[in-house]
Amino acid sequence: MNVLFLCTGNACRSILGEAVFKHLAPAGWKAMSAGSQPAGQVHPRSLALLKREGIAAEGCRSKSWDNLPATPDIVITVCAGAAGETCPAYLGQALRSHWGVEDPAHATGSDAEIDAAFMAAYRILRTRIEAFLALPLAELRQDPTRLKTELDRIGGLLP
């Protein structure tokens, strides 16, 4: 199964989602990320955070959804609707779920406060991905309606 983490810029949240999912996923599950309007580079704080957490970031790059390496089976949007962001609407046949996360790239304040915003986004995504991977995946692959319900429930975990 191919999981696409999607946002507008593909510089922070979707990159974190892709890297964490790859790090934790069982065999047969793959992750990728993309943006509808990619920033063109991964935010350096995202890469630094992944390194600190011991998660490989090789191959992470900001890219368009027009250049996906595989067709996604599941698309998870990670923009934060409460912040007034417009999530891109993927036009493929994939199962879709929304896991809104505040964009740490817009954080202001001291270096420590900005780093804390990146860590908060990472923790939310990691918690949700761990919950996703704890599901009975073999069973849910055969039941897309139930899988969507579970993914939407997970998207509501944490702010």
Side-chain angles (χ1 to χ4, degrees):
M1 294 283 283
N2 296 311
V3 179
L4 171 63
F5 289 89
L6 182 63
C7 66
T8 305
N10 189 221
C12 296
R13 297 162 294 182
S14 54
I15 294 287
L16 293 173
E18 174 188 12
V20 170
F21 194 93
K22 284 180 178 178
H23 182 73
L24 299 174
W29 288 80
K30 305 207 181 315
M32 56 191 149
S33 67
S36 58
Q37 299 171 359
Q41 67 178 2
V42 177
H43 197 291
R45 288 182 194 259
S46 292
L47 296 174
L49 186 151
L50 291 169
K51 184 176 180 180
R52 281 192 311 274
E53 294 296 316
I55 297 173
E58 292 80 30
C60 288
R61 62 182 183 82
S62 179
K63 57 206 162 295
S64 173
W65 60 7
D66 294 328
N67 300 312
L68 296 175
T71 302
D73 300 297
I74 298 169
V75 175
I76 298 173
T77 53
V78 293
C79 10
E85 292 177 281
T86 302
C87 286
Y90 185 77
L91 302 176
Q93 294 298 312
L95 184 149
R96 296 174 188 93
S97 187
H98 178 66
W99 292 2
V101 179
E102 292 296 323
D103 190 351
H106 298 301
T108 58
S110 68
D111 278 346
E113 291 168 323
I114 295 169
D115 283 344
F118 275 83
M119 184 53 81
Y122 166 80
R123 285 189 179 137
I124 290 167
L125 287 164
R126 183 163 181 135
T127 298
R128 290 174 179 171
I129 290 167
E130 288 172 346
F132 177 177
L133 296 174
L135 294 171
L137 298 176
E139 182 182 314
L140 291 174
R141 285 177 80 161
Q142 308 307 316
D143 189 348
T145 302
R146 188 167 152 226
L147 178 56
K148 166 121 174 83
T149 299
E150 290 297 326
L151 291 173
D152 290 347
R153 179 188 60 77
I154 289 167
L157 296 176
L158 303 175

Short mmCIF file of all heavy atoms in Angstrom, two decimals, residues 70-134:
data_model
loop_
_atom_site.label_atom_id
_atom_site.label_comp_id
_atom_site.label_asym_id
_atom_site.label_seq_id
_atom_site.Cartn_x
_atom_site.Cartn_y
_atom_site.Cartn_z
N ALA A 70 4.74 6.62 -7.39
CA ALA A 70 3.75 5.53 -7.42
C ALA A 70 2.37 6.14 -7.23
O ALA A 70 2.24 7.28 -6.76
CB ALA A 70 4.04 4.53 -6.30
N THR A 71 1.35 5.40 -7.58
CA THR A 71 -0.02 5.85 -7.37
C THR A 71 -0.39 5.60 -5.91
O THR A 71 -0.24 4.48 -5.42
CB THR A 71 -0.98 5.09 -8.30
OG1 THR A 71 -0.58 5.30 -9.65
CG2 THR A 71 -2.41 5.55 -8.10
N PRO A 72 -0.87 6.63 -5.21
CA PRO A 72 -1.23 6.42 -3.80
C PRO A 72 -2.53 5.63 -3.66
O PRO A 72 -3.47 5.81 -4.43
CB PRO A 72 -1.38 7.83 -3.25
CG PRO A 72 -1.67 8.68 -4.43
CD PRO A 72 -1.02 8.03 -5.61
N ASP A 73 -2.53 4.78 -2.63
CA ASP A 73 -3.75 4.08 -2.23
C ASP A 73 -4.49 4.88 -1.17
O ASP A 73 -5.71 4.83 -1.07
CB ASP A 73 -3.40 2.70 -1.66
CG ASP A 73 -2.68 1.83 -2.68
OD1 ASP A 73 -3.28 1.52 -3.71
OD2 ASP A 73 -1.50 1.50 -2.44
N ILE A 74 -3.70 5.63 -0.37
CA ILE A 74 -4.23 6.44 0.72
C ILE A 74 -3.58 7.81 0.63
O ILE A 74 -2.36 7.91 0.46
CB ILE A 74 -3.92 5.82 2.09
CG1 ILE A 74 -4.59 4.45 2.23
CG2 ILE A 74 -4.34 6.75 3.23
CD1 ILE A 74 -4.13 3.65 3.44
N VAL A 75 -4.37 8.87 0.74
CA VAL A 75 -3.85 10.24 0.77
C VAL A 75 -4.25 10.85 2.10
O VAL A 75 -5.44 10.88 2.45
CB VAL A 75 -4.41 11.09 -0.39
CG1 VAL A 75 -3.94 12.53 -0.26
CG2 VAL A 75 -4.00 10.52 -1.73
N ILE A 76 -3.25 11.34 2.83
CA ILE A 76 -3.49 12.00 4.11
C ILE A 76 -3.04 13.45 3.97
O ILE A 76 -1.86 13.73 3.78
CB ILE A 76 -2.72 11.30 5.26
CG1 ILE A 76 -3.23 9.86 5.40
CG2 ILE A 76 -2.87 12.09 6.56
CD1 ILE A 76 -2.43 9.02 6.38
N THR A 77 -4.01 14.37 4.03
CA THR A 77 -3.67 15.79 4.00
C THR A 77 -3.34 16.22 5.42
O THR A 77 -3.95 15.77 6.38
CB THR A 77 -4.84 16.64 3.44
OG1 THR A 77 -6.03 16.35 4.16
CG2 THR A 77 -5.04 16.38 1.95
N VAL A 78 -2.33 17.09 5.53
CA VAL A 78 -1.85 17.48 6.85
C VAL A 78 -1.93 18.99 7.10
O VAL A 78 -1.45 19.47 8.12
CB VAL A 78 -0.41 16.97 7.11
CG1 VAL A 78 -0.40 15.46 7.19
CG2 VAL A 78 0.56 17.47 6.06
N CYS A 79 -2.56 19.75 6.21
CA CYS A 79 -2.69 21.18 6.47
C CYS A 79 -3.69 21.41 7.60
O CYS A 79 -4.52 20.57 7.87
CB CYS A 79 -3.11 21.95 5.23
SG CYS A 79 -3.62 20.99 3.86
N ALA A 80 -3.54 22.54 8.25
CA ALA A 80 -4.39 22.84 9.41
C ALA A 80 -5.51 23.78 8.98
O ALA A 80 -5.30 24.97 8.84
CB ALA A 80 -3.56 23.46 10.53
N GLY A 81 -6.68 23.23 8.81
CA GLY A 81 -7.83 24.02 8.38
C GLY A 81 -8.15 25.16 9.32
O GLY A 81 -8.59 26.23 8.90
N ALA A 82 -7.92 24.97 10.61
CA ALA A 82 -8.21 26.02 11.58
C ALA A 82 -7.32 27.23 11.39
O ALA A 82 -7.66 28.33 11.81
CB ALA A 82 -8.05 25.48 13.01
N ALA A 83 -6.18 27.03 10.74
CA ALA A 83 -5.25 28.15 10.51
C ALA A 83 -5.59 28.87 9.21
O ALA A 83 -4.87 29.76 8.79
CB ALA A 83 -3.81 27.63 10.46
N GLY A 84 -6.67 28.50 8.57
CA GLY A 84 -7.08 29.16 7.35
C GLY A 84 -6.37 28.64 6.12
O GLY A 84 -6.48 29.23 5.05
N GLU A 85 -5.65 27.54 6.23
CA GLU A 85 -4.98 26.96 5.08
C GLU A 85 -6.00 26.20 4.24
O GLU A 85 -6.93 25.62 4.76
CB GLU A 85 -3.91 25.95 5.50
CG GLU A 85 -2.73 26.53 6.20
CD GLU A 85 -1.79 25.43 6.62
OE1 GLU A 85 -2.06 24.78 7.64
OE2 GLU A 85 -0.81 25.21 5.90
N THR A 86 -5.79 26.20 2.96
CA THR A 86 -6.62 25.42 2.07
C THR A 86 -5.85 24.16 1.72
O THR A 86 -4.77 24.22 1.16
CB THR A 86 -6.94 26.20 0.78
OG1 THR A 86 -7.60 27.40 1.16
CG2 THR A 86 -7.81 25.40 -0.15
N CYS A 87 -6.41 23.02 2.06
CA CYS A 87 -5.76 21.75 1.74
C CYS A 87 -5.96 21.45 0.26
O CYS A 87 -7.05 21.64 -0.27
CB CYS A 87 -6.37 20.61 2.55
SG CYS A 87 -5.85 20.63 4.26
N PRO A 88 -4.93 20.95 -0.38
CA PRO A 88 -5.11 20.55 -1.77
C PRO A 88 -6.02 19.33 -1.85
O PRO A 88 -6.01 18.49 -0.96
CB PRO A 88 -3.68 20.22 -2.23
CG PRO A 88 -2.88 20.03 -1.00
CD PRO A 88 -3.58 20.77 0.10
N ALA A 89 -6.80 19.26 -2.89
CA ALA A 89 -7.70 18.13 -3.09
C ALA A 89 -7.09 17.22 -4.14
O ALA A 89 -7.06 17.54 -5.32
CB ALA A 89 -9.07 18.62 -3.55
N TYR A 90 -6.57 16.08 -3.70
CA TYR A 90 -5.96 15.13 -4.62
C TYR A 90 -7.05 14.54 -5.49
O TYR A 90 -8.11 14.15 -5.01
CB TYR A 90 -5.24 14.03 -3.84
CG TYR A 90 -4.50 13.08 -4.74
CD1 TYR A 90 -3.30 13.47 -5.32
CD2 TYR A 90 -5.03 11.85 -5.06
CE1 TYR A 90 -2.63 12.61 -6.17
CE2 TYR A 90 -4.36 10.99 -5.91
CZ TYR A 90 -3.16 11.37 -6.46
OH TYR A 90 -2.51 10.53 -7.31
N LEU A 91 -6.79 14.47 -6.78
CA LEU A 91 -7.84 14.09 -7.73
C LEU A 91 -7.83 12.62 -8.12
O LEU A 91 -8.60 12.21 -8.96
CB LEU A 91 -7.73 14.97 -8.99
CG LEU A 91 -7.83 16.46 -8.71
CD1 LEU A 91 -7.62 17.26 -9.99
CD2 LEU A 91 -9.15 16.82 -8.07
N GLY A 92 -6.97 11.82 -7.53
CA GLY A 92 -6.93 10.40 -7.84
C GLY A 92 -8.03 9.63 -7.14
O GLY A 92 -8.88 10.19 -6.46
N GLN A 93 -8.00 8.31 -7.29
CA GLN A 93 -9.02 7.43 -6.73
C GLN A 93 -8.70 6.96 -5.32
O GLN A 93 -9.37 6.09 -4.79
CB GLN A 93 -9.20 6.21 -7.64
CG GLN A 93 -9.76 6.56 -9.00
CD GLN A 93 -11.14 7.18 -8.90
OE1 GLN A 93 -12.01 6.68 -8.21
NE2 GLN A 93 -11.34 8.29 -9.57
N ALA A 94 -7.68 7.51 -4.70
CA ALA A 94 -7.23 7.04 -3.39
C ALA A 94 -8.24 7.32 -2.29
O ALA A 94 -9.03 8.26 -2.36
CB ALA A 94 -5.91 7.73 -3.05
N LEU A 95 -8.15 6.52 -1.24
CA LEU A 95 -8.89 6.77 -0.01
C LEU A 95 -8.26 8.02 0.61
O LEU A 95 -7.04 8.15 0.61
CB LEU A 95 -8.72 5.55 0.91
CG LEU A 95 -9.46 5.54 2.21
CD1 LEU A 95 -9.79 4.10 2.57
CD2 LEU A 95 -8.63 6.15 3.30
N ARG A 96 -9.09 8.94 1.11
CA ARG A 96 -8.57 10.21 1.63
C ARG A 96 -8.95 10.41 3.09
O ARG A 96 -10.06 10.06 3.49
CB ARG A 96 -9.15 11.37 0.82
CG ARG A 96 -8.73 11.37 -0.62
CD ARG A 96 -9.46 12.48 -1.37
NE ARG A 96 -9.23 12.39 -2.78
CZ ARG A 96 -10.01 11.75 -3.64
NH1 ARG A 96 -11.10 11.16 -3.22
NH2 ARG A 96 -9.73 11.72 -4.92
N SER A 97 -8.00 11.02 3.83
CA SER A 97 -8.27 11.38 5.22
C SER A 97 -7.52 12.67 5.51
O SER A 97 -6.50 12.96 4.88
CB SER A 97 -7.82 10.27 6.17
OG SER A 97 -8.23 10.54 7.49
N HIS A 98 -8.03 13.43 6.47
CA HIS A 98 -7.40 14.70 6.84
C HIS A 98 -6.88 14.63 8.26
O HIS A 98 -7.62 14.32 9.18
CB HIS A 98 -8.38 15.86 6.69
CG HIS A 98 -7.79 17.16 7.11
ND1 HIS A 98 -6.76 17.75 6.42
CD2 HIS A 98 -8.04 17.96 8.17
CE1 HIS A 98 -6.41 18.87 7.03
NE2 HIS A 98 -7.18 19.02 8.10
N TRP A 99 -5.58 14.93 8.42
CA TRP A 99 -4.92 14.97 9.72
C TRP A 99 -4.32 16.35 9.91
O TRP A 99 -3.11 16.54 9.82
CB TRP A 99 -3.80 13.94 9.81
CG TRP A 99 -4.20 12.50 9.81
CD1 TRP A 99 -5.45 11.97 9.70
CD2 TRP A 99 -3.31 11.39 9.95
NE1 TRP A 99 -5.40 10.60 9.75
CE2 TRP A 99 -4.08 10.22 9.91
CE3 TRP A 99 -1.93 11.28 10.09
CZ2 TRP A 99 -3.53 8.95 10.00
CZ3 TRP A 99 -1.38 10.01 10.19
CH2 TRP A 99 -2.17 8.87 10.15
N GLY A 100 -5.11 17.36 10.16
CA GLY A 100 -4.61 18.73 10.28
C GLY A 100 -3.55 18.92 11.35
O GLY A 100 -3.71 18.46 12.47
N VAL A 101 -2.47 19.58 10.98
CA VAL A 101 -1.36 19.90 11.87
C VAL A 101 -0.92 21.33 11.56
O VAL A 101 -0.75 21.69 10.39
CB VAL A 101 -0.17 18.93 11.66
CG1 VAL A 101 0.99 19.28 12.57
CG2 VAL A 101 -0.59 17.48 11.85
N GLU A 102 -0.72 22.13 12.62
CA GLU A 102 -0.24 23.50 12.41
C GLU A 102 1.11 23.48 11.71
O GLU A 102 1.96 22.63 12.01
CB GLU A 102 -0.11 24.24 13.74
CG GLU A 102 -1.44 24.52 14.42
CD GLU A 102 -2.33 25.46 13.63
OE1 GLU A 102 -1.83 26.41 13.00
OE2 GLU A 102 -3.55 25.22 13.64
N ASP A 103 1.32 24.41 10.80
CA ASP A 103 2.56 24.47 10.03
C ASP A 103 3.67 25.11 10.86
O ASP A 103 3.62 26.31 11.14
CB ASP A 103 2.35 25.26 8.75
CG ASP A 103 3.52 25.17 7.79
OD1 ASP A 103 4.58 24.63 8.17
OD2 ASP A 103 3.38 25.64 6.65
N PRO A 104 4.69 24.34 11.24
CA PRO A 104 5.76 24.92 12.04
C PRO A 104 6.61 25.93 11.27
O PRO A 104 7.30 26.75 11.88
CB PRO A 104 6.59 23.70 12.47
CG PRO A 104 6.33 22.68 11.43
CD PRO A 104 4.90 22.92 10.99
N ALA A 105 6.52 25.91 9.96
CA ALA A 105 7.28 26.88 9.16
C ALA A 105 6.81 28.31 9.42
O ALA A 105 7.55 29.26 9.17
CB ALA A 105 7.15 26.56 7.67
N HIS A 106 5.60 28.46 9.95
CA HIS A 106 5.06 29.79 10.24
C HIS A 106 5.29 30.21 11.69
O HIS A 106 4.84 31.28 12.11
CB HIS A 106 3.58 29.86 9.90
CG HIS A 106 3.29 29.63 8.45
ND1 HIS A 106 3.80 30.43 7.46
CD2 HIS A 106 2.56 28.67 7.84
CE1 HIS A 106 3.39 29.97 6.28
NE2 HIS A 106 2.64 28.91 6.48
N ALA A 107 5.97 29.36 12.45
CA ALA A 107 6.22 29.67 13.87
C ALA A 107 7.16 30.87 13.99
O ALA A 107 8.05 31.06 13.17
CB ALA A 107 6.83 28.47 14.57
N THR A 108 6.90 31.68 15.00
CA THR A 108 7.75 32.84 15.26
C THR A 108 8.23 32.77 16.71
O THR A 108 7.73 31.98 17.51
CB THR A 108 6.98 34.16 15.04
OG1 THR A 108 5.83 34.16 15.90
CG2 THR A 108 6.54 34.30 13.59
N GLY A 109 9.20 33.60 17.01
CA GLY A 109 9.73 33.64 18.37
C GLY A 109 11.20 33.28 18.38
O GLY A 109 11.89 33.37 17.37
N SER A 110 11.65 32.83 19.53
CA SER A 110 13.05 32.45 19.69
C SER A 110 13.32 31.14 18.94
O SER A 110 12.38 30.42 18.55
CB SER A 110 13.37 32.27 21.17
OG SER A 110 12.68 31.13 21.67
N ASP A 111 14.58 30.79 18.79
CA ASP A 111 14.94 29.51 18.17
C ASP A 111 14.30 28.36 18.93
O ASP A 111 13.80 27.41 18.33
CB ASP A 111 16.47 29.34 18.12
CG ASP A 111 17.10 30.06 16.95
OD1 ASP A 111 16.37 30.48 16.03
OD2 ASP A 111 18.34 30.20 16.96
N ALA A 112 14.31 28.45 20.25
CA ALA A 112 13.72 27.39 21.07
C ALA A 112 12.22 27.28 20.82
O ALA A 112 11.68 26.17 20.76
CB ALA A 112 14.01 27.64 22.55
N GLU A 113 11.53 28.39 20.68
CA GLU A 113 10.08 28.37 20.42
C GLU A 113 9.78 27.81 19.04
O GLU A 113 8.82 27.05 18.86
CB GLU A 113 9.50 29.78 20.57
CG GLU A 113 9.51 30.27 22.01
CD GLU A 113 9.20 31.76 22.14
OE1 GLU A 113 9.63 32.56 21.27
OE2 GLU A 113 8.54 32.12 23.14
N ILE A 114 10.60 28.15 18.07
CA ILE A 114 10.39 27.63 16.71
C ILE A 114 10.68 26.13 16.69
O ILE A 114 9.92 25.34 16.12
CB ILE A 114 11.24 28.41 15.69
CG1 ILE A 114 10.75 29.86 15.63
CG2 ILE A 114 11.17 27.74 14.31
CD1 ILE A 114 11.65 30.80 14.85
N ASP A 115 11.78 25.71 17.34
CA ASP A 115 12.08 24.29 17.43
C ASP A 115 10.94 23.54 18.13
O ASP A 115 10.60 22.42 17.74
CB ASP A 115 13.40 24.04 18.17
CG ASP A 115 14.63 24.32 17.31
OD1 ASP A 115 14.49 24.41 16.07
OD2 ASP A 115 15.72 24.47 17.90
N ALA A 116 10.36 24.14 19.14
CA ALA A 116 9.24 23.51 19.85
C ALA A 116 8.04 23.32 18.92
O ALA A 116 7.32 22.31 19.03
CB ALA A 116 8.85 24.34 21.07
N ALA A 117 7.80 24.26 18.01
CA ALA A 117 6.69 24.13 17.06
C ALA A 117 6.95 22.96 16.11
O ALA A 117 6.02 22.19 15.79
CB ALA A 117 6.52 25.43 16.27
N PHE A 118 8.19 22.79 15.68
CA PHE A 118 8.52 21.66 14.82
C PHE A 118 8.35 20.35 15.59
O PHE A 118 7.81 19.37 15.06
CB PHE A 118 9.95 21.79 14.27
CG PHE A 118 10.01 22.62 13.03
CD1 PHE A 118 10.05 24.01 13.10
CD2 PHE A 118 10.00 22.04 11.77
CE1 PHE A 118 10.09 24.78 11.95
CE2 PHE A 118 10.04 22.81 10.61
CZ PHE A 118 10.08 24.19 10.71
N MET A 119 8.80 20.33 16.85
CA MET A 119 8.68 19.12 17.65
C MET A 119 7.21 18.79 17.90
O MET A 119 6.82 17.61 17.88
CB MET A 119 9.43 19.27 18.98
CG MET A 119 9.42 18.02 19.83
SD MET A 119 9.99 16.51 19.00
CE MET A 119 11.76 16.73 19.12
N ALA A 120 6.38 19.79 18.12
CA ALA A 120 4.94 19.54 18.33
C ALA A 120 4.33 18.90 17.08
O ALA A 120 3.57 17.92 17.19
CB ALA A 120 4.23 20.85 18.68
N ALA A 121 4.65 19.42 15.90
CA ALA A 121 4.13 18.84 14.65
C ALA A 121 4.61 17.40 14.50
O ALA A 121 3.83 16.50 14.16
CB ALA A 121 4.56 19.69 13.46
N TYR A 122 5.88 17.18 14.78
CA TYR A 122 6.45 15.83 14.71
C TYR A 122 5.73 14.88 15.65
O TYR A 122 5.36 13.76 15.27
CB TYR A 122 7.95 15.89 15.02
CG TYR A 122 8.57 14.55 15.31
CD1 TYR A 122 8.92 13.69 14.26
CD2 TYR A 122 8.77 14.10 16.62
CE1 TYR A 122 9.48 12.44 14.52
CE2 TYR A 122 9.32 12.86 16.88
CZ TYR A 122 9.67 12.04 15.83
OH TYR A 122 10.20 10.81 16.09
N ARG A 123 5.54 15.28 16.89
CA ARG A 123 4.91 14.40 17.88
C ARG A 123 3.47 14.06 17.50
O ARG A 123 3.02 12.92 17.69
CB ARG A 123 4.96 15.04 19.26
CG ARG A 123 6.35 14.96 19.86
CD ARG A 123 6.35 15.41 21.31
NE ARG A 123 7.70 15.28 21.85
CZ ARG A 123 8.29 16.19 22.61
NH1 ARG A 123 7.64 17.29 22.96
NH2 ARG A 123 9.50 16.00 23.05
N ILE A 124 2.73 15.06 17.01
CA ILE A 124 1.36 14.79 16.57
C ILE A 124 1.36 13.78 15.44
O ILE A 124 0.62 12.79 15.46
CB ILE A 124 0.65 16.10 16.16
CG1 ILE A 124 0.39 16.96 17.39
CG2 ILE A 124 -0.64 15.81 15.39
CD1 ILE A 124 -0.02 18.39 17.06
N LEU A 125 2.20 14.01 14.44
CA LEU A 125 2.24 13.09 13.30
C LEU A 125 2.70 11.70 13.73
O LEU A 125 2.12 10.70 13.32
CB LEU A 125 3.14 13.65 12.20
CG LEU A 125 2.53 14.82 11.43
CD1 LEU A 125 3.59 15.56 10.64
CD2 LEU A 125 1.41 14.33 10.53
N ARG A 126 3.72 11.63 14.57
CA ARG A 126 4.22 10.32 15.01
C ARG A 126 3.14 9.57 15.79
O ARG A 126 2.93 8.36 15.57
CB ARG A 126 5.48 10.46 15.85
CG ARG A 126 6.01 9.08 16.23
CD ARG A 126 7.41 9.08 16.69
NE ARG A 126 7.80 7.72 17.00
CZ ARG A 126 8.93 7.17 16.63
NH1 ARG A 126 9.82 7.89 15.95
NH2 ARG A 126 9.23 5.93 16.95
N THR A 127 2.44 10.25 16.67
CA THR A 127 1.37 9.61 17.44
C THR A 127 0.29 9.07 16.51
O THR A 127 -0.19 7.94 16.69
CB THR A 127 0.76 10.60 18.45
OG1 THR A 127 1.79 10.98 19.37
CG2 THR A 127 -0.42 10.01 19.20
N ARG A 128 -0.09 9.84 15.53
CA ARG A 128 -1.12 9.41 14.59
C ARG A 128 -0.63 8.24 13.73
O ARG A 128 -1.38 7.29 13.48
CB ARG A 128 -1.58 10.58 13.73
CG ARG A 128 -2.37 11.60 14.53
CD ARG A 128 -2.70 12.82 13.71
NE ARG A 128 -3.48 13.77 14.51
CZ ARG A 128 -3.75 15.00 14.11
NH1 ARG A 128 -3.32 15.44 12.93
NH2 ARG A 128 -4.45 15.79 14.89
N ILE A 129 0.61 8.32 13.27
CA ILE A 129 1.17 7.23 12.45
C ILE A 129 1.27 5.96 13.28
O ILE A 129 0.96 4.86 12.79
CB ILE A 129 2.51 7.66 11.84
CG1 ILE A 129 2.27 8.74 10.77
CG2 ILE A 129 3.26 6.46 11.26
CD1 ILE A 129 3.51 9.47 10.31
N GLU A 130 1.71 6.06 14.52
CA GLU A 130 1.76 4.88 15.39
C GLU A 130 0.38 4.28 15.58
O GLU A 130 0.21 3.05 15.56
CB GLU A 130 2.39 5.23 16.74
CG GLU A 130 3.89 5.47 16.64
CD GLU A 130 4.51 6.01 17.92
OE1 GLU A 130 3.78 6.46 18.82
OE2 GLU A 130 5.75 5.99 18.01
N ALA A 131 -0.65 5.13 15.74
CA ALA A 131 -2.02 4.64 15.87
C ALA A 131 -2.47 3.95 14.58
O ALA A 131 -3.13 2.90 14.61
CB ALA A 131 -2.96 5.78 16.24
N PHE A 132 -2.13 4.52 13.45
CA PHE A 132 -2.45 3.95 12.15
C PHE A 132 -1.82 2.56 12.04
O PHE A 132 -2.49 1.57 11.72
CB PHE A 132 -1.92 4.89 11.07
CG PHE A 132 -2.08 4.46 9.63
CD1 PHE A 132 -1.66 5.32 8.63
CD2 PHE A 132 -2.61 3.24 9.25
CE1 PHE A 132 -1.78 4.98 7.29
CE2 PHE A 132 -2.73 2.89 7.91
CZ PHE A 132 -2.31 3.75 6.93
N LEU A 133 -0.53 2.46 12.34
CA LEU A 133 0.19 1.20 12.18
C LEU A 133 -0.19 0.16 13.22
O LEU A 133 0.10 -1.03 13.05
CB LEU A 133 1.70 1.46 12.18
CG LEU A 133 2.18 2.32 10.99
CD1 LEU A 133 3.65 2.65 11.13
CD2 LEU A 133 1.88 1.63 9.65
N ALA A 134 -0.87 0.58 14.29
CA ALA A 134 -1.37 -0.36 15.31
C ALA A 134 -2.70 -0.99 14.90
O ALA A 134 -3.16 -1.94 15.55
CB ALA A 134 -1.51 0.35 16.65
#
